[in-house]
Amino acid sequence: MKFATWNVNSLAVRAPQLTEWLAANPVDAIVLQETKLTDDKFPHKDFEALGYHAQWHGQKTYNGVALLSKVEAQAVQKNIPGLDDEQARVIAGTVNGIRVVGAYFPNGQAPGTEKFAYKLKWIGALRDWLRQELELNPRLLLMGDYNIAPEDRDVYDPIAWAGQIHCTAEERDHFQQLVGLGLTDAFRLFEQPPKCWSWWDYRNLAFRKNQGLRIDHILVSEALRPEVKACVIDKLPRKAERPSDHAPVIVELG
């Protein structure tokens, strides 16, 4: 089975690219971030034509998440239970016996801001909920745009980015606390080429210069870790006309 995550940065713009990608890469399930659509505007029929069931949780202009799966997802959860949050950032469902959690972590803006405090509080709430989810669903994937580069090797220029948003000690500590739940970064289970990123800024020819960050991740539970056969970042969609600034990440289980 293959599962993927992709921050599409506006499904209204990127829907044709997504349907093209799914036709070429018929993964069993994919979670999307930054759909940026209200629920009534979600193009579920486009995905049904490709054989995907769709679950979505949106809002106008910002955020928005979705889960597309070949087999209809069960026990769907939208946002973090118990957290009073109007932002559409989480969608979860059980697909083929695997609990798939798709998450769009807050950006955080800058250390010391209210948005940064919100980010840390949000991750803490996610962690507390996931602890319960793992007890109920040992076979779990946490996939999405984490807006965190966990290590210096996940940043094209660690010196320039030191202490900056995505790379702060606080954010990296929260990432490690998620790992501490019994989760593993699937990408790092394998020998990977250097300078592998999942996001490149639209500015300053960042993609052409390969100046990016690895901030999109798939964490697998202990029960799933022995089944992980591969984990890759697909840079090809980033070369498209009017692309998302993120690339899909795919994990293969078998």
Side-chain angles (χ1 to χ4, degrees):
M1 293 185 291
K2 290 185 178 181
F3 296 82
T5 178
W6 192 1
N7 180 325
V8 291
N9 191 15
S10 177
L11 198 53
V13 176
R14 249 65 73 173
Q17 295 179 27
L18 176 58
T19 53
E20 181 180 353
W21 189 86
L22 287 171
N25 302 271
V27 294
D28 293 273
I30 184 170
V31 292
L32 309 174
Q33 301 87 46
E34 284 202 274
T35 55
K36 298 182 179 179
L37 293 173
T38 52
D39 285 345
D40 60 307
K41 300 294 184 181
F42 192 85
H44 59 94
K45 291 184 178 179
D46 293 347
F47 306 119
E48 290 169 2
L50 290 172
Y52 284 91
H53 299 271
Q55 301 287 342
W56 61 93
H57 179 37
Q59 66 183 86
K60 186 176 181 180
T61 308
Y62 300 104
N63 308 318
V65 288
L67 167 60
L68 311 179
S69 55
K70 291 284 191 179
V71 175
E72 189 169 7
Q74 304 297 315
V76 174
Q77 171 68 43
K78 300 178 180 180
N79 272 8
I80 302 169
L83 180 65
D84 184 14
D85 188 10
E86 297 180 352
Q87 300 188 27
R89 292 190 174 277
V90 172
I91 191 159
T94 301
V95 178
N96 291 327
I98 295 175
R99 190 63 171 165
V100 177
V101 180
Y104 176 45
F105 287 49
N107 178 285
Q109 190 179 43
T113 65
E114 290 185 4
K115 290 185 178 180
F116 188 75
Y118 162 69
K119 180 176 190 173
L120 300 185
K121 177 183 177 182
W122 186 94
I123 300 173
L126 176 71
R127 183 180 64 251
D128 291 343
W129 172 58
L130 285 175
R131 186 178 292 110
Q132 302 172 36
E133 282 291 293
L134 282 162
E135 292 179 1
L136 299 171
N137 305 280
R139 294 168 59 80
L140 182 145
L141 295 172
L142 174 60
M143 309 194 293
D145 175 2
Y146 286 50
N147 271 311
I148 300 172
E151 303 176 57
D152 281 353
R153 60 177 169 168
D154 298 313
V155 186
Y156 78 91
D157 188 343
I159 295 176
W161 280 82
Q164 302 298 313
I165 196 67
H166 309 312
C167 302
T168 65
E170 295 95 327
E171 292 165 291
R172 289 179 170 180
D173 178 64
H174 273 275
F175 184 92
Q176 291 305 318
Q177 289 184 47
L178 289 172
V179 170
L181 295 175
L183 302 175
T184 300
D185 184 346
F187 190 75
R188 292 301 180 200
L189 286 173
F190 304 93
E191 190 76 24
Q192 302 286 2
K195 300 181 180 180
C196 286
W197 325 124
S198 65
W199 172 84
W200 302 258
D201 200 319
Y202 288 126
R203 299 168 295 181
N204 302 320
L205 300 175
F207 182 68
R208 185 177 298 180
K209 297 175 182 176
N210 198 30
Q211 296 178 345
L213 307 178
R214 190 177 74 95
I215 58 176
D216 301 87
H217 308 293
I218 298 177
L219 297 190
V220 301
S221 64
E222 289 180 1
L224 285 179
R225 178 173 173 166
E227 302 177 32
V228 180
K229 302 301 181 185
C231 187
V232 298
I233 299 170
D234 183 1
K235 292 174 60 175
L236 187 60
R238 189 60 174 80
K239 299 177 182 179
E241 186 176 352
R242 299 185 71 198
S244 169
D245 45 355
H246 294 255
V249 184
I250 308 100
V251 66
E252 181 178 359
L253 305 177

